Amino acid sequence: DYYLFRMPEDVDYVPFCDDFGPLNMANLVYFICMLKDEMDTHRSKKVVYVVDSDPRVLTNNIFLVGSFLLIARKMEPDQVWAKFSEIKSSMLEPYRDASYDPPDFELSLLDCWKGLWRGMNLNWLSLPTTSPTSWGKVDIEEYVHYEDPLNGDLVQVVPGE
């Protein structure tokens, strides 16, 4: 028996130019909470996350699922990547810089997960334990406030700096 669900359409990456992701920390936290809730609610079923096959959409959604495995299940980046080994590389698109020029570098899903893993190892990022808005040293409410372009479009990269 299966339970199928999709990400709400209002959770999406807002591009600056021809960039498409990865999704921001707030979307990542929202997805982890949503997936945990769906799995808890439908314990007797296999939960299936349904996504479109567009390479950019698929890449962003694999990033979310892989980040769930990394953060909530404590899997290492290479273990996470192995879970998606059956997906052909032509079905995915590497992340790029925020411009319309041809990209001069490519950022892979594995690169992104390694960055999250590093943040977890530095105790910058973790599942909340005392406050539902505190994910390690990331205060999600504060993040959402300042990430909004109307509030400066600011994101603190290194906690405390």
Side-chain angles (χ1 to χ4, degrees), residues 58-74:
L58 184 60
T59 300
N60 276 338
N61 283 283
I62 289 174
F63 169 71
L64 291 173
V65 173
S67 297
F68 170 84
L69 295 172
L70 192 86
I71 296 167
R73 302 298 166 123
K74 306 282 191 253

Side-chain angles (χ1 to χ4, degrees), residues 109-123:
L109 287 165
L110 185 58
D111 294 329
C112 295
W113 292 325
K114 285 180 178 181
L116 283 172
W117 186 252
R118 177 80 171 135
M120 290 171 61
N121 287 328
L122 292 170
N123 295 314

Side-chain angles (χ1 to χ4, degrees), residues 144-154:
V144 169
H145 174 79
Y146 286 111
E147 195 267 341
D148 186 318
L150 297 174
N151 297 319
D153 197 18
L154 303 170

Side-chain angles (χ1 to χ4, degrees), residues 6 15 23 31 33 38 45 57 75 86 88 95-96 112 116 119-120 130 139 144 158:
R6 289 182 165 272
L23 283 93
F31 177 80
C33 292
E38 295 292 356
K45 298 180 180 183
V57 172
M75 293 176 71
E86 297 296 318
K88 296 176 186 170
Y95 294 115
R96 52 158 298 135
C112 295
L116 283 172
M120 290 171 61
T130 56
D139 182 312
V144 169
V158 178

Side-chain angles (χ1 to χ4, degrees), residues 33-98:
C33 292
M34 183 184 70
L35 182 54
K36 287 180 79 169
D37 184 54
E38 295 292 356
M39 292 171 72
D40 289 344
T41 302
H42 305 282
R43 287 187 185 275
S44 64
K45 298 180 180 183
K46 291 184 180 182
V47 176
V48 177
Y49 181 50
V50 180
V51 300
D52 294 332
S53 62
D54 172 80
R56 290 181 167 196
V57 172
L58 184 60
T59 300
N60 276 338
N61 283 283
I62 289 174
F63 169 71
L64 291 173
V65 173
S67 297
F68 170 84
L69 295 172
L70 192 86
I71 296 167
R73 302 298 166 123
K74 306 282 191 253
M75 293 176 71
E76 294 189 17
D78 290 328
Q79 294 172 309
V80 171
W81 181 242
K83 295 288 184 186
F84 301 100
S85 63
E86 297 296 318
I87 296 175
K88 296 176 186 170
S89 61
S90 62
M91 296 176 68
L92 304 173
E93 187 170 334
Y95 294 115
R96 52 158 298 135
D97 60 338

Side-chain angles (χ1 to χ4, degrees), residues 16-37:
F16 290 95
C17 295
D18 192 33
D19 52 314
F20 66 96
L23 283 93
N24 70 27
M25 194 66 183
N27 286 337
L28 178 59
V29 166
Y30 176 81
F31 177 80
I32 290 171
C33 292
M34 183 184 70
L35 182 54
K36 287 180 79 169
D37 184 54

